Amino acid sequence: MHSKSRFLQISAVSEAILHIFFGIVTLACLIPLWSVISISLSNDNKIRQIGYRFWPVGFSTKSYDFVLSQGRAIWHAYGITIFVTIVGTVLCVLVVSMYAYILFRKDFKYRKFFTFFGFFTMLINAGLVPWYIVCVNILHLKNTIYALILPYVMNMWYVLIFRTYLSMSLPDSIIESAKIDGAGEFTTFFRIVVPLVKPGLATIALFSAITYWNDWWLPFMLIDTEKLYNLQYMMYRVQQKIQYLAEIAGKLGASGIVPTDLPTESARMAMAVLGMGPIVLAYPFFQRYFVKGLTIGAIKG
Amino acid sequence: MANDQRTYRSGFLRELNKNFPLFLMALPGVVLLIAFSYLPLFGLIIAFKDVHYDVGILKSPWVGLKNFEFLFKTPDAFIITRNTLLYNFAFIVFGNLAAIATAIALSEMRSRFMAKFYQSVMFLPYFLSWVVVAYMAFAFLSIDLGILNTMVLPKLGLQPIAWYFETKPWPVILILANLWKYTGYNAVIYLAAITGIDPEYYEAALIDGASKWQQIKHITIPLLSPLVVVLVLLGIGRIFYADFGLFYQLPMNSGALYDVTNVIDTYVYRTLMGMNDIGMASAASFYQSIMGFILVLTSNLIVRRLDPEKALF
């Protein structure tokens, strides 16, 4: 960050006004999050009497006990989300970085063709109906784990970001000298290029991991077997129909008995907290990389 | 002529032979692009067919523009086009204004620590899925238990509102939700551009006795304007596409709200999955693709006129 002292600074009054303004904005960003946590920690009967509140009423962790012990399906959904996020992110980083690398190689004669081949898909999008029919009737992805992974693996936008990163941080001479030393293309890529561009790879990995973690769209379109529900989709089902929580608890739970006094209101919000938990906890760490990645993207979109 | 072709082909084969590993590296990407982007393009013909699943799409009879005729005869066609365009227009205008104002304010703050803190907090909503945001909205808007109806409105002496059945507030709610989720993210893009401005401009202005306000008006904003133009035009290029999560999850698919929440994307989904009307859904899908394509080309043409460096192609 450049030194501000050389410039005219804004007045103390202006600064104070900005602090008040951003204070309000900060609250607007955090209060919804805080409310959901509060409700999840409230006593369900109290909530039903007085409604949702900004603070926990009749503090209780019963909702979590209920969601975690009864809803075996929730653990399963967590597992699906984690599996899909890891596998999808690894594949995405691999495919995107290799594709970006060949576009970066100025000595590769067909790089212009491959650039256009990818870029064209950013210009015209066939839309939902043809995409759905291809996924279901040609690729047979309906109700398979691949449906939750493959559609997001190749992303031309990430390719462009990563190519920009490569051209900014990787001198051509490194590739040339590797060639002179007799390294094959794959050796050069994995042993020499990859270790040098780890921050760029981390950026793509983070973008991709967030996409997979937060995805509800693919199961929404392509999955209707409960075994393949991921966390976000299960949350969507619960939100749509709170009894669904009781249904899955009854069907898949250990006891098999659905309690009559389900803490449905607080359990609903507990579900949301469990769904966003890992992302919000990892957020302070993630954020730095995201800002870096965005900044690179903004230089040449 | 024949000779030319042979050299071309042997040229390609020679290249394939010489750089085989590079082609291999491109292969997974190429296969996925074909599967999820190119194959669906052929599916655009569905819009001109009367699809019978038993004979398959290729053998289904052509019906010309029938599907489009049916679509544009419904009142939905007007509503979804109006909603998609107006909401996106509002998002482009308010979204960019909010992001620019935020970025300038953050860059001018004396306390770097607090500026970083505000930036981090405003970025947080970008990380949450629309499903989670819908839960948060529900905590406020739930008709019998929501914070607004049980706490806020009574205190102001107002009657509770049936949020999920009342169309009037939704344009405001959707625009606010969009700002809430994306302003922090967009501000970072503008902030990156502001940090890149050469400090000498400000030094020169300072010597000339320019006030802070004048500096912002005559240096920061003019130097940001190329980026603003690009982002606005990119937004216009995507004006026929809507954020499905925002329009489907947030109103919880409430039928009473369709008049103000139905956009082309949600309409296509509902027509395909709910009503199983593949003809109408593909006509709407086609309409969206073609308008989107034309607008991307047009906006790129304009960007290239204004600043060739910033053009996408």
Side-chain angles (χ1 to χ4, degrees):
Chain A
M1 189 89 0
H2 53 243
S3 152
K4 277 264 159 191
S5 58
R6 285 175 301 161
F7 307 138
L8 185 61
Q9 286 190 327
I10 58 172
S11 66
V13 179
S14 310
E15 176 93 355
I17 293 171
L18 285 184
H19 278 302
I20 293 170
F21 173 74
F22 279 115
I24 295 169
V25 173
T26 303
L27 285 179
C29 289
L30 294 178
I31 283 179
L33 197 74
W34 171 249
S35 308
V36 167
I37 297 170
S38 292
I39 298 166
S40 75
L41 289 170
S42 296
N43 177 309
D44 225 60
N45 293 327
K46 272 265 166 59
I47 294 177
R48 282 197 199 122
Q49 283 162 22
I50 64 168
Y52 296 147
R53 287 290 177 270
F54 288 121
W55 50 88
V57 285
F59 184 87
S60 151
T61 54
K62 215 173 133 196
S63 61
Y64 288 93
D65 294 341
F66 169 71
V67 171
L68 294 178
S69 65
Q70 297 281 321
R72 184 158 294 176
I74 287 154
W75 290 117
H76 188 77
Y78 243 108
I80 294 279
T81 293
I82 292 168
F83 176 79
V84 163
T85 302
I86 292 173
V87 175
T89 302
V90 169
L91 286 176
C92 174
V93 168
L94 195 68
V95 171
V96 163
S97 62
M98 288 196 304
Y99 202 90
Y101 176 72
I102 66 140
L103 302 188
F104 154 82
R105 285 281 299 265
K106 290 183 194 66
D107 56 328
F108 181 46
K109 208 173 143 192
Y110 284 88
R111 78 188 182 110
K112 284 233 167 74
F113 168 79
F114 285 111
T115 308
F116 183 77
F117 188 80
F119 190 68
F120 184 72
T121 63
M122 290 172 78
L123 299 182
I124 184 155
N125 179 331
L128 177 70
V129 180
W131 178 86
Y132 178 78
I133 288 173
V134 166
C135 285
V136 175
N137 292 340
I138 299 179
L139 304 172
H140 301 289
L141 291 178
K142 186 112 194 167
N143 290 326
T144 64
I145 188 87
Y146 308 108
L148 299 179
I149 298 175
L150 293 180
Y152 292 157
V153 169
M154 177 61 178
N155 181 321
M156 199 50 200
W157 178 242
Y158 298 169
V159 169
L160 294 181
I161 291 178
F162 193 65
R163 189 193 56 179
T164 309
Y165 185 86
L166 283 175
S167 57
M168 282 184 352
S169 58
L170 199 67
D172 297 335
S173 56
I174 287 184
I175 314 286
E176 276 161 36
S177 61
K179 256 188 182 168
I180 292 165
D181 288 345
E185 295 288 359
F186 278 94
T187 319
T188 310
F189 180 73
F190 285 107
R191 310 289 289 269
I192 297 167
V193 175
V194 166
L196 286 173
V197 294
K198 273 188 194 146
L201 293 172
T203 308
I204 302 298
L206 284 174
F207 276 113
S208 168
I210 297 285
T211 305
Y212 281 110
W213 187 275
N214 278 341
D215 183 51
W216 52 273
W217 167 255
L218 292 175
F220 184 71
M221 295 304 297
L222 297 169
I223 301 293
D224 38 45
T225 155
E226 257 168 47
K227 268 192 295 192
L228 288 170
Y229 285 2
N230 67 12
L231 194 60
Q232 300 287 334
Y233 188 62
M234 178 159 285
M235 282 166 60
Y236 161 72
R237 297 295 300 257
V238 169
Q239 175 68 344
Q240 212 189 15
K241 193 165 139 223
I242 188 69
Q243 305 92 298
Y244 178 71
L245 196 62
E247 276 168 33
I248 54 172
K251 231 183 279 178
L252 297 151
S255 64
I257 306 155
V258 183
T260 47
D261 60 333
L262 283 179
T264 49
E265 294 306 329
S266 52
R268 186 204 291 266
M269 295 302 167
M271 189 74 209
V273 173
L274 290 172
M276 65 188 169
I279 285 288
V280 171
L281 292 181
Y283 166 73
F285 166 76
F286 276 8
Q287 200 240 144
R288 290 206 328 258
Y289 286 91
F290 259 85
V291 169
K292 224 179 266 169
L294 271 181
T295 314
I296 294 164
I299 289 170
K300 172 73 188 172
Chain B
M1 189 71 179
N3 206 7
D4 271 4
Q5 214 159 8
R6 195 157 50 211
T7 29
Y8 170 72
R9 269 173 65 190
S10 69
F12 172 75
L13 287 178
R14 188 148 24 101
E15 186 66 22
L16 186 66
N17 194 32
K18 194 178 98 192
N19 277 325
F20 186 69
L22 294 182
F23 283 93
L24 217 56
M25 284 184 185
L27 189 66
V30 169
V31 169
L32 288 165
L33 285 173
I34 291 175
F36 294 107
S37 300
Y38 283 94
L39 278 182
L41 285 181
F42 293 104
L44 285 172
I45 60 163
I46 298 164
F48 305 97
K49 291 207 158 201
D50 179 16
V51 173
H52 296 289
Y53 279 113
D54 43 333
V55 293
I57 290 155
L58 288 177
K59 286 188 186 138
S60 294
W62 293 92
V63 291
L65 297 174
K66 274 268 155 47
N67 289 328
F68 293 92
E69 238 179 274
F70 289 136
L71 170 69
F72 288 108
K73 266 188 195 146
T74 63
D76 300 334
F78 170 74
I79 291 172
I80 57 175
T81 308
R82 176 199 69 188
N83 287 350
T84 311
L85 296 183
L86 287 184
Y87 279 118
N88 274 326
F89 181 72
F91 296 162
I92 293 169
V93 174
F94 297 129
N96 279 297
L97 284 179
I100 294 165
T102 304
I104 292 177
L106 288 177
S107 74
E108 294 294 349
M109 285 195 108
R110 285 203 246 173
S111 162
R112 297 319 302 159
F113 175 77
M114 287 311 283
K116 270 255 161 343
F117 170 74
Y118 295 138
Q119 185 201 315
S120 303
V121 173
M122 288 180 74
F123 204 154
L124 176 68
Y126 181 76
F127 278 74
L128 303 172
S129 78
W130 279 118
V131 176
V132 168
V133 178
Y135 271 79
M136 291 175 170
F138 185 79
F140 286 86
L141 302 176
S142 164
I143 292 161
D144 48 345
L145 300 171
I147 289 171
L148 286 182
N149 277 359
T150 61
M151 259 183 93
V152 180
L153 294 181
K155 274 205 183 117
L156 298 171
L158 297 168
Q159 289 298 310
I161 295 171
W163 295 99
Y164 291 97
F165 295 95
E166 188 75 55
T167 52
K168 279 211 187 89
W170 280 90
V172 178
I173 295 173
L174 291 170
I175 291 170
L176 283 179
N178 187 273
L179 284 177
W180 185 81
K181 198 157 190 290
Y182 294 120
T183 301
Y185 175 89
N186 290 327
V188 169
I189 296 176
Y190 283 114
L191 208 50
I194 292 174
T195 325
I197 295 174
D198 191 338
E200 280 184 19
Y201 287 112
Y202 294 100
E203 277 163 30
L206 195 55
I207 293 164
D208 291 344
S211 70
K212 192 72 243 174
W213 187 243
Q214 285 171 323
Q215 288 181 17
I216 292 173
K217 202 170 140 197
H218 295 294
I219 301 172
T220 316
I221 291 177
L223 286 173
L224 274 187
S225 62
L227 182 61
V228 178
V229 169
V230 171
L231 291 182
V232 166
L233 287 172
L234 285 179
I236 292 173
R238 293 200 51 81
I239 209 164
F240 271 84
Y241 293 91
D243 190 338
F244 190 96
L246 171 63
F247 291 97
Y248 190 89
Q249 295 285 0
L250 212 62
M252 302 228 273
N253 192 22
S254 166
L257 302 175
Y258 283 176
D259 200 34
V260 292
T261 60
N262 213 1
V263 286
I264 302 177
D265 299 74
T266 51
Y267 176 80
V268 171
Y269 170 78
R270 288 185 189 118
T271 319
L272 179 71
M273 300 302 210
M275 293 154 61
N276 223 345
D277 187 342
I278 190 169
M280 203 111 100
S282 5
S285 208
F286 187 90
Y287 164 58
Q288 182 183 40
S289 297
I290 294 305
M291 295 307 284
F293 185 55
I294 293 170
L295 280 171
V296 169
L297 290 184
T298 318
S299 46
N300 186 68
L301 201 74
I302 299 169
V303 179
R304 206 166 49 194
R305 283 272 162 80
L306 294 170
D307 180 2
E309 278 285 292
K310 294 279 181 198
L312 281 167
F313 53 93

